[in-house]
């Protein structure tokens, strides 16, 4: 499920981040490391010409929708969730073990099957159409997604595999993988993160068998859609599915975080679940959103070939759970190759209590950048992508500091504050200056802004 995605965001698209002339041959091995001391200002202009992107052994022709960057492509295939003893692997294995232990089929075998090696390259049909997301929905915008071309993209959620797995005959499964979204830059957001999808379908007998006098109850009716149920579901069916879903997830969170966990549910909206909810847990006195879930749209279930069943789906973010459980303060650390970070998560079993011990806290370096926006083609996520492409994981945070409209010309100016910090060593001002200058030059060239440097 499209966990933590505010689907009703309104977005604007700007220029693509990867020019059709840029040649991308497979997953680049020469991408700039975050500790590089030499950052060329023409970060993409010198690349050989090509009109295809080669990724995971396949070629994808570029078109006017192509906006994936080399920085993002370099992350494809890392599969941190399958890297033994990595904190994301630990969280994944804990959730798997919980479901394997507590949900069994008739023969005593695990009810839920697990898929954690599905390709992150999906079709637009898989990512949106199969989930009944309208053609004009804001969640499809290039502002928020990484497109290889008009037909293929890097999945924005593990929900992209729901229809295919249900169509293959599965009634209960977990799907885990890396997902890709263009977003803001701070210590809790990264353009690549990891999700776990859960789906469970029920037949009429499975849902009502434990209910007294449940023989006469039905899954479907000819009714009307309300705020509490879909038009085809009976109220009894949707209430039981909702209760089962919330019970399953509350047990899971309590199992991971302990019996003292406080949980609350917040109504929300996802296009392919109704009703739908977000779970928030109370961590150190603050309510934090950790997953989204809901009763699956029956049209989706029917189209996948399970017309006589009703089901639920949830999506949770592995980084969010790991940051809370292990007290990891910065999402960039999940990509660290520093042994001081990785060795902290090696233990005799997946349930070992671990509290992350911070590496030496190196000081930040802060630089501002101001420019006049082009008339219509600018979007903030394009700028964030550009900053990430050049600065990599040296960029800790980017904040829109000031927005000014000239009273006469009506031109709009943005001022951003960029915080640079290396998680493993001290940066020099000369090093940061070269990166910052490259960002300034590339913003003018790639985004069409007018610098106020």
């Amino acid at each position: 499920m499209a966990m933590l995605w505010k689907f009703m965001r309104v977005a604007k698209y700007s220029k693509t981040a990867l020019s059709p002339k840029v040649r991308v041959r497979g997953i680049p091995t020469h991408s700039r490391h975050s500790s590089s001391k030499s950052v060329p200002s023409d970060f993409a202009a010198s690349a050989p010409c090509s009109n295809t992107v080669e990724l995971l052994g396949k070629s994808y022709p570029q078109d006017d929708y192509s906006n994936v960057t080399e920085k993002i492509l370099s992350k494809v295939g890392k599969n941190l969730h399958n890297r033994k003893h990595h904190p994301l692997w630990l969280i994944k294995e804990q959730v798997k073990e919980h479901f394997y232990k507590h949900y069994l089929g008739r023969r005593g075998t695990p009810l839920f099957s697990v898929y954690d090696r599905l390709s992150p390259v999906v079709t637009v049909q898989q990512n949106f159409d199969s989930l009944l997301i309208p053609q004009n929905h804001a969640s499809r915008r290039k502002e928020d997604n990484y497109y290889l071309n008009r037909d293929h993209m890097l999945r924005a959620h593990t929900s992209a595999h729901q229809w295919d797995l249900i169509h293959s005959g599965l009634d209960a499964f977990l799907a885990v993988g890396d997902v890709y979204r263009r977003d803001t830059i701070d210590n809790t957001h990264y353009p690549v993160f990891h999700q776990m999808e859960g789906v469970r379908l029920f037949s009429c007998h499975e849902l009502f068998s434990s209910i007294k006098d449940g023989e006469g109850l039905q899954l479907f009716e000819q009714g009307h859609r309300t705020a509490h149920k879909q038009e085809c579901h009976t109220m009894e069916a949707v209430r039981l599915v909702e209760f089962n879903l919330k019970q399953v997830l509350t047990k899971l969170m309590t199992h991971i975080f302990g019996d003292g966990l406080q949980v609350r549910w917040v109504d929300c909206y996802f296009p392919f679940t109704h009703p739908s909810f977000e779970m928030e847990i109370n961590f150190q006195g603050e309510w934090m959103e950790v997953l989204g879930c809901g009763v699956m749209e029956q049209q989706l279930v029917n189209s996948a070939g399970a017309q006589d069943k009703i089901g639920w789906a949830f999506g949770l973010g592995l980084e969010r759970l790991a940051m809370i459980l292990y007290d990891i303060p910065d999402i960039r650390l999940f990509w660290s190759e520093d042994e001081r970070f990785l060795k902290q998560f090696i233990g005799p079993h997946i349930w070992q209590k671990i509290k992350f011990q911070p590496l030496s806290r190196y000081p930040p370096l802060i630089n501002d950048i101001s420019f006049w926006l082009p008339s219509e083609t600018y979007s903030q996520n394009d700028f964030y992508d550009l900053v990430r492409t050049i600065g990599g994981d040296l960029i800790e945070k980017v904040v829109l500091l000031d927005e000014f409209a000239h009273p006469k010309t009506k031109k709009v100016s943005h001022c951003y504050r960029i915080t640079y910090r290396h998680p493993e060593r001290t940066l020099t001002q000369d090093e940061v200056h070269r990166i910052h200058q490259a960002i300034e030059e590339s913003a003018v060239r790639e985004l069409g802004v007018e610098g106020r440097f």
Side-chain angles (χ1 to χ4, degrees), residues 111-115 161-163 165-166 170-175 197-200 314:
L111 180 66
F112 285 80
S113 51
V114 178
Y115 300 87
H161 305 291
Q162 271 187 17
W163 192 95
L165 293 173
I166 294 173
L170 296 175
D171 287 343
F173 58 84
L174 303 174
E197 189 85 6
V199 168
R200 174 79 194 275
F314 71 80

Side-chain angles (χ1 to χ4, degrees), residues 5 27 53 55-56 60 67-77 119-124 126-128 144-149 151-158 160-161 178-182 191-192:
W5 193 349
I27 302 174
V53 174
L55 186 61
L56 302 178
Y60 300 92
N67 68 345
V68 66
T69 66
E70 288 195 36
K71 177 69 177 178
I72 297 303
L73 291 174
S74 71
K75 304 294 186 183
V76 179
S119 174
V121 179
V122 298
T123 63
V124 172
Q126 288 175 299
N127 200 79
F128 295 120
D144 294 323
N145 301 286
Y146 287 105
Y147 285 91
L148 297 173
N149 52 40
D151 298 320
H152 294 86
M153 63 187 298
L154 298 177
R155 62 187 168 207
H157 43 210
T158 44
H161 305 291
D178 43 331
V179 298
Y180 300 77
R181 297 189 198 157
R182 306 178 74 200
V192 190

Side-chain angles (χ1 to χ4, degrees), residues 292-307:
C293 60
V295 180
M296 297 185 70
E297 283 287 347
Q298 197 60 37
Q299 184 181 343
L300 188 163
V301 177
N302 292 347
S303 68
Q307 295 90 339

Side-chain angles (χ1 to χ4, degrees), residues 32-43 365 367 369 386-387 389-391 394-395 418 420 425-443 445:
R32 297 175 191 85
H33 190 273
S34 58
S35 63
S36 172
K37 293 188 177 181
S38 177
V39 181
S41 59
D42 52 344
F43 66 98
L365 290 175
N367 285 259
I369 180 172
L386 183 146
V387 171
T389 298
I390 298 173
L394 296 184
I395 309 298
I418 303 178
Y420 299 84
R425 65 177 179 83
T426 300
L427 293 172
T428 67
Q429 186 59 59
D430 285 345
E431 181 179 1
V432 169
H433 175 72
R434 288 194 295 270
I435 299 170
H436 199 73
Q437 186 176 25
I439 292 172
E440 291 174 341
E441 294 173 1
S442 297
R445 183 176 60 250

Side-chain angles (χ1 to χ4, degrees), residues 401-416:
L401 200 62
D402 182 59
E403 184 172 358
F404 167 73
H406 195 282
K408 292 184 179 180
T409 65
K410 306 303 180 183
K411 292 176 65 175
V412 176
S413 171
H414 277 189
C415 176
Y416 294 90

Side-chain angles (χ1 to χ4, degrees), residues 133 151 172 185 210 213 278 282 297 305 361 366 382 389 397 404 407:
I133 297 175
D151 298 320
I185 300 177
S210 60
D213 300 325
E278 289 172 345
N282 193 297
E297 283 287 347
R361 190 62 170 168
I366 297 174
D382 283 344
T389 298
K397 184 189 300 184
F404 167 73

